Amino acid sequence: MIGQCLCGQIEFEFVPVGDTALRCYCSICQRSHGADCATQLISKKSSLRFISGDSLVAEYSSSPMGVRAFCSNCGARLMNYAKAKSDYMSVALACVISDHKIKPVVNVQVASKPQWAQPDDSVPCFDEFPADITKYL
């Protein structure tokens, strides 16, 4: 799949794990995306390849475990990945420009949602991030 930032200067490809996404309602996702949640597509960091603009990728260490990558020119959020030697990565579904039919299939960190947010209750909702998240994806 191909992802791109808002200004188009960063373009990257990655291989998703399956063809489904999750919505995360944690406070960090809310603030970093400027929304009630972030819709993320799980991937492996080892599959990430920048087509263009890799020098424009900026990183912010948002927690002891995670890094958030964004475009230093337009500010578009691109992906999250683990600081540890983990291969975990999640890509912001909104930056995917490839044709797809991916839909969120699970809501996580719902206990942190803003009062006004209304998670889709037609998919499983979890107050926290389940350890066995891959079985829902």
Side-chain angles (χ1 to χ4, degrees):
M1 296 194 104
I2 304 292
Q4 187 179 63
C5 67
L6 178 62
C7 69
Q9 293 189 56
I10 296 175
E11 192 168 276
F12 60 95
E13 67 180 358
F14 67 100
V15 178
V17 175
D19 59 352
T20 54
L22 62 86
R23 283 190 193 103
C24 183
Y25 286 87
C26 79
S27 60
I28 296 172
C29 282
Q30 290 172 43
R31 289 192 299 266
S32 68
H33 286 263
D36 62 341
C37 67
T39 304
Q40 299 291 115
L41 184 57
I42 305 299
S43 181
K44 292 184 177 186
K45 192 175 177 186
S46 58
S47 75
L48 176 64
R49 185 181 75 80
F50 285 94
I51 298 166
S52 62
D54 59 327
S55 65
L56 292 172
V57 176
E59 295 180 340
Y60 175 69
S61 178
S62 59
S63 74
M65 298 178 300
V67 173
R68 295 175 186 268
F70 60 96
C71 175
S72 62
N73 185 57
C74 67
R77 288 275 297 108
L78 303 171
M79 63 201 70
N80 307 327
Y81 38 85
K83 287 182 185 177
K85 296 179 182 177
S86 168
D87 201 24
Y88 172 86
M89 178 175 79
S90 67
V91 175
L93 188 57
C95 73
V96 173
I97 60 172
S98 301
D99 287 338
H100 65 80
K101 294 182 181 181
I102 296 170
K103 294 181 181 179
V105 297
V106 65
N107 298 314
V108 299
Q109 302 287 11
V110 175
S112 300
K113 74 174 183 60
Q115 277 188 314
W116 50 265
Q118 296 294 318
D120 176 4
D121 61 5
S122 71
V123 299
C125 293
F126 296 93
D127 283 345
E128 296 182 357
F129 203 98
D132 59 347
I133 189 68
T134 55
K135 79 178 188 180
Y136 300 98
L137 303 175

